[in-house]
Amino acid sequence: MAEPEAQLLRAVGLIEKDTNGDALWVWCYPSVTAELRTLLLRKCCLTDENKLLHTFVFGQYKRSWFYITTVEVQDSPALKKVTHFSIVLTAKDFNPEKYAAFTRILCSEENGSFLSKDFDARKAYLAGSIKDVVSQFGMETVILYTALMLKKRIVVYHPRIEAIQEFTRTLPALVWHRQDWSILHSYVHLNEEELEALKACTDPNLAQFRALGYIAGFTDSEVSSRSDLYDVYVNLADSEITISPVVKEAMTMGKLHKEIGQLIVQSAEDPDKSDSQVIKDISLKTKEILATLTSLTEVSDGNEKPTLNTEALKQKRFPPATENFLFHLAAAEQMLKI
């Protein structure tokens, strides 16, 4: 059952930048930890030296979502010494459109109406454009699909945070059967606390399979040299995807991947298909693959969860890359005997 709205919203805060150029927390309700305050000051763009104003940013830190709307103050007699302010929300759910609308109302002097039911989670999941992703990466989109299916760690770089947010929020839709946006960390700085929190998302007990992957967005190009953070590196600015040597074997592409890639491209290039129809096409192919995998499992040793029968997989005589993919997919879906 969905949680009541009041329980999804965790806290509201206000950060102001004064005429001296200092950005300070001035108010919050009910409370925000010192650690989170420092993080949100970093995210709100008022402490940036580059003076770029980001009207709305969002991200996730330690299982809490944050949404920040920043406004320049125009000749307000009530805010004489304030040049900019940011409204900060922390919440339990991923819904950028909902919280952008809510913060816009909080920022404006006019009264506005806000109905939470106008913003259901599914709408938020479908708000990105798969077609845009495919038009940029074409057949290489299958690399992203494979990485997500196998729960690998994807890092995305672009100097513009807006470009990163738009792109990264769309990627979980490639594995629609999971409907899991908790893997998304769309705005990460190369800061030790943030990187530690990001690394903590992967399950150390299943390290050999990196059972819980993530999608992390960075605006700092130095992230490319941090190979400890990614299995797949996406340079969005140059439209390049790099597979780390660590996962080359698990990510070996074959006939099946070519089929999936062609299906993704054909569906996305069809002008009569909407983004949600493209997601549905990909999802049907995924269901087919998962059905094949399920047919090769068995329930044994009193385990309720079926596990992969590796002999049955070998007897199918799939092409090596397909067999390899199905084996690693079983690992990602926790269907291997440990």
Side-chain angles (χ1 to χ4, degrees):
M1 202 171 106
E3 285 193 65
E5 196 53 37
Q7 288 173 15
L8 291 175
L9 187 61
R10 284 185 157 141
V12 184
L14 176 63
I15 297 170
E16 288 180 353
K17 186 172 190 173
D18 61 25
T19 45
N20 298 327
D22 296 323
L24 298 164
W25 273 86
V26 290
W27 176 84
C28 69
Y29 181 83
S31 66
V32 175
T33 63
E35 178 189 20
L36 202 49
R37 282 184 186 212
T38 306
L39 174 106
L40 295 167
L41 265 175
R42 190 159 55 240
K43 303 296 176 194
C44 79
C45 82
L46 296 182
T47 50
D48 273 5
E49 280 75 57
N50 61 17
K51 306 287 187 288
L52 265 183
L53 188 69
H54 305 295
T55 51
F56 182 68
V57 296
F58 60 88
Q60 189 189 182
Y61 180 70
K62 292 189 175 176
R63 304 265 169 231
S64 194
W65 291 96
F66 59 83
Y67 302 92
I68 306 172
T69 290
T70 301
V71 176
E72 190 169 359
V73 175
Q74 307 284 358
D75 308 321
S76 169
L79 295 167
K80 279 198 178 102
K81 292 191 171 170
V82 176
T83 60
H84 301 79
F85 66 85
S86 293
I87 298 272
V88 180
L89 302 178
T90 63
K92 290 182 187 176
D93 60 328
F94 169 77
N95 203 321
E97 284 67 35
K98 175 171 78 172
Y99 292 112
F102 187 43
T103 50
R104 271 198 302 275
I105 290 168
L106 295 178
C107 287
S108 73
E109 289 176 27
E110 324 294 308
N111 286 333
S113 67
F114 173 81
L115 286 172
S116 179
K117 65 178 171 56
D118 293 342
F119 302 94
D120 68 69
R122 195 184 154 89
K123 257 191 199 169
Y125 295 165
L126 291 167
S129 174
I130 281 283
K131 288 188 151 205
D132 287 354
V133 172
V134 180
S135 77
Q136 182 167 0
F137 288 100
M139 280 293 282
E140 285 205 312
T141 309
V142 77
I143 299 173
L144 301 172
Y145 170 86
T146 306
L148 288 159
M149 283 290 278
L150 301 183
K151 297 184 180 176
K152 298 300 179 194
R153 302 164 306 153
I154 300 173
V155 159
V156 180
Y157 159 73
H158 194 286
R160 280 183 55 248
I161 184 59
E162 292 80 2
I164 285 177
Q165 304 216 294
E166 198 50 43
F167 180 81
T168 55
R169 70 170 299 172
T170 310
L171 296 185
L174 284 169
V175 284
W176 182 256
H177 66 293
R178 292 189 189 129
Q179 291 197 28
D180 181 11
W181 264 254
S182 71
I183 61 171
L184 175 63
H185 301 260
S186 55
Y187 190 14
V188 188
H189 280 82
L190 284 176
N191 159 282
E192 269 325 299
E193 284 88 5
E194 286 190 51
L195 299 182
E196 282 311 308
L198 185 66
K199 286 177 178 179
C201 295
T202 54
D203 187 339
N205 300 321
L206 295 159
Q208 76 267 40
F209 299 122
R210 305 209 189 281
L212 294 170
Y214 53 69
I215 302 158
F218 292 81
T219 55
D220 187 339
S221 60
E222 278 184 35
V223 72
S224 66
S225 63
R226 291 294 304 263
S227 56
D228 58 314
L229 296 175
Y230 60 80
D231 300 314
V232 172
Y233 178 73
V234 182
N235 183 329
L236 196 54
D238 295 341
S239 303
E240 286 174 1
I241 300 179
T242 309
I243 300 173
S244 160
V246 180
V247 293
K248 273 252 174 7
E249 185 262 329
M251 298 271 298
T252 304
M253 301 286 150
K255 185 170 165 278
L256 176 66
H257 299 85
K258 192 178 176 183
E259 262 174 46
I260 299 164
Q262 284 167 340
L263 174 126
I264 293 172
V265 170
Q266 279 164 8
S267 180
E269 286 179 351
D270 185 337
D272 297 327
K273 284 190 174 173
S274 65
D275 279 296
S276 57
Q277 284 170 311
V278 177
I279 290 166
K280 193 174 182 184
D281 286 348
I282 299 166
S283 184
L284 286 170
K285 184 66 183 171
T286 301
K287 278 186 177 150
E288 207 181 281
I289 293 165
L290 289 169
T292 302
L293 187 60
T294 305
S295 73
L296 301 168
T297 60
E298 58 188 7
V299 177
S300 61
D301 304 334
N303 284 341
E304 283 177 32
K305 197 171 169 65
T307 53
L308 180 69
N309 179 333
T310 46
E311 274 313 303
L313 174 61
K314 287 194 172 77
Q315 281 165 15
K316 282 282 182 190
R317 297 191 184 282
F318 286 123
T322 302
E323 183 180 312
N324 182 53
F325 175 64
L326 289 171
F327 177 80
H328 285 278
L329 181 57
E333 296 286 341
Q334 271 108 40
M335 292 162 82
L336 279 191
K337 285 178 190 164
I338 302 295

